[in-house]
Amino acid sequence: MLIGLCGAISSGKHAVAEYLIQKEGFRLLKLKNGGPPRISGEPDGARQLQALESAENESSSSSQLVFEDSKSLLDFVTKRWQELWVTTDIWDITVLDRFLQRPFFLLVSVDAPMSLRWKRLTDRCHKRLLKPPSLEEFVLWNERHLYEKGVGRAYFTDRAQVRLFNSSSSLEELHAALKSLGLANEQRLRPNWDQYFMELASLAAQRSNCMKRRVGCVIVRDRRVISTGYNGTPRHLENCNEGGCPRCNRGEGGGMGLSTCLCLHAEENALLEAGRERIREGAILYCDTCPCLTCTVKIAQVGISEVVYSQGYNMDKDSAAILKAAGVKLRQFSPPRNGLIYLECSENTK
């Protein structure tokens, strides 16, 4: 695995890298002359601080490896992809494109509140007897750092699979939050079968036209998709989001007026598409929402062996009881968190 860290000024990306090196067994990979590109309007004190810290890092880190260019770095990791590597030297969008093509690469961005980042930078300048930038200077520099055409951090953070919001007040708090997060979880790189099929179900849900709730479903046997389904009005009827189902368009509460609902549920559509002959023993139904009672009895009838869902519904216990009585296994799937994640220390890690 190779984790690439990018982010805003004084957001804590180097602190995250140090955690991975010290606590998770990663090794640091650096590019020769791989510092950040010069951004117009950079305050003198901040520029001096970056140069000083870069020199300190080069002289103090015995675990880092230095490469002439990004190609040699990537070639090196490709031959050792099962080991743990981290780099903060990703400054070129074309280089990032090459990295993202590799199945062992994870791009992680780090951000923090602007006021906190300015305070961190100010404290670091004071410790080294350098003049810190004023808040106004920092704000202007930060905007250029994010949005400078071709090299701004926004180009990179928008493509990150994991986006960390680091409002931690201490390294101990940051380390505790990172430990509970598990950045090195390999499911972030290549989804396991549960995650893969659940993502297909979520994709199917995007086709839903039901005004009440988007739901998607996938039926699988021997790790092959038999059928997919999403909820909405039947074939040849006007779509629900075009007024085809009066009940859904009236916005009635959950469980009310069900007898007048014209929408087929995602599970029903998938079961109808597959047919009982194709389902047979060993078929697994993936649904992004736990099935309702109506769908549950149909799932039990056609011989589905297992139901996997991600989001709860208001009748989960009743559905679970029916599936249990019918000998159908039911379980909830929780993948590792991606997207925007607040680095907060939970109570059980303090």
Side-chain angles (χ1 to χ4, degrees):
M1 169 183 274
L2 169 62
I3 293 181
L5 293 167
C6 64
I9 305 161
S10 297
S11 59
K13 53 187 176 293
H14 291 97
V16 174
E18 281 300 312
Y19 166 82
L20 292 172
I21 294 166
Q22 296 173 11
K23 306 295 184 180
E24 301 284 352
F26 280 71
R27 293 191 67 187
L28 182 65
L29 304 181
K30 299 285 293 180
L31 291 179
K32 188 176 181 180
N33 302 321
R38 180 72 179 272
I39 302 295
S40 59
E42 184 176 6
D44 290 339
R47 189 183 316 121
Q48 294 170 3
L49 178 65
Q50 287 182 339
L52 181 59
E53 290 184 336
S54 177
E56 289 174 352
N57 290 336
E58 289 179 6
S59 61
S60 64
S61 180
S62 59
S63 63
Q64 71 180 20
L65 297 172
V66 181
F67 297 86
E68 289 291 330
D69 51 43
S70 59
K71 181 181 182 304
S72 58
L73 186 154
L74 193 57
D75 290 343
F76 174 85
V77 178
T78 300
K79 298 173 184 177
R80 301 163 179 82
W81 65 272
Q82 291 180 308
E83 300 175 45
L84 300 175
W85 311 99
V86 61
T87 183
T88 58
D89 287 345
I90 300 178
W91 310 105
D92 188 302
I93 197 68
T94 58
V95 170
L96 175 62
D97 287 337
R98 290 197 294 270
F99 277 52
L100 287 171
Q101 291 172 358
R102 302 301 171 99
F104 52 77
F105 179 70
L106 179 71
L107 181 63
V108 178
S109 71
V110 188
D111 203 350
M114 184 178 294
S115 58
L116 179 57
R117 292 191 286 112
W118 176 65
K119 184 179 183 304
R120 288 172 180 169
L121 180 64
T122 299
D123 291 344
R124 286 158 56 201
C125 286
H126 284 151
K127 287 180 181 179
R128 290 167 174 79
L129 303 178
L130 298 172
K131 180 184 177 182
S134 67
L135 179 57
E136 182 180 1
E137 288 177 318
F138 181 80
V139 169
L140 294 174
W141 177 38
N142 179 75
E143 288 181 351
R144 297 188 185 99
H145 186 266
L146 282 176
Y147 301 115
E148 190 95 345
K149 187 174 180 180
V151 296
R153 294 298 88 200
Y155 288 94
F156 300 83
T157 56
D158 284 350
R159 304 184 67 180
Q161 295 103 311
V162 181
R163 302 190 301 277
L164 305 180
F165 189 76
N166 174 28
S167 57
S168 304
S169 58
S170 66
L171 285 178
E172 291 76 14
E173 183 178 322
L174 173 63
H175 288 185
L178 289 171
K179 182 179 180 180
S180 65
L181 177 62
L183 271 180
N185 189 329
E186 291 186 356
Q187 289 185 40
R188 300 185 189 280
L189 298 176
R190 186 172 187 251
N192 61 18
W193 289 110
D194 276 352
Q195 191 173 355
Y196 174 66
F197 291 126
M198 195 62 75
E199 288 182 5
L200 291 181
S202 296
L203 179 61
Q206 299 306 305
R207 284 288 303 165
S208 170
N209 62 69
C210 180
M211 292 295 291
K212 292 290 289 183
R213 178 193 295 261
R214 283 179 167 178
V215 182
C217 177
V218 173
I219 299 178
V220 175
R221 190 182 69 245
D222 298 327
R223 295 178 178 174
R224 296 292 184 272
V225 174
I226 299 174
S227 65
T228 65
Y230 54 86
N231 57 329
T233 48
R235 184 180 303 177
H236 304 310
L237 269 67
E238 192 172 22
N239 286 337
C240 181
N241 62 351
E242 297 170 341
C245 177
R247 183 258 175 184
C248 290
N249 281 268
R250 284 196 300 266
E252 296 188 12
M256 298 179 61
L258 295 179
S259 62
T260 63
C261 183
L262 301 182
C263 287
L264 286 166
H265 289 192
E267 300 93 324
E268 291 176 310
N269 273 322
L271 293 171
L272 287 168
E273 181 184 338
R276 184 167 183 174
E277 295 75 16
R278 294 178 62 201
I279 292 175
R280 302 201 301 272
E281 184 179 354
I284 303 175
L285 184 146
Y286 288 88
C287 193
D288 61 358
T289 305
C290 188
C292 69
L293 286 178
T294 302
C295 290
T296 296
V297 296
K298 295 174 182 176
I299 289 167
Q301 176 67 11
V302 299
I304 294 287
S305 297
E306 183 177 7
V307 173
V308 185
Y309 71 98
S310 58
Q311 302 176 45
Y313 193 45
N314 59 12
M315 52 184 71
D316 292 5
K317 291 183 179 179
D318 296 328
S319 296
I322 292 174
L323 292 174
K324 182 178 180 180
V328 180
K329 183 179 179 182
L330 174 69
R331 60 186 173 89
Q332 186 171 13
F333 173 64
S334 299
R337 289 181 295 158
N338 280 349
L340 179 62
I341 300 171
Y342 284 75
L343 290 180
E344 297 174 337
C345 184
S346 61
E347 292 297 326
N348 59 0
T349 59
K350 288 183 180 180

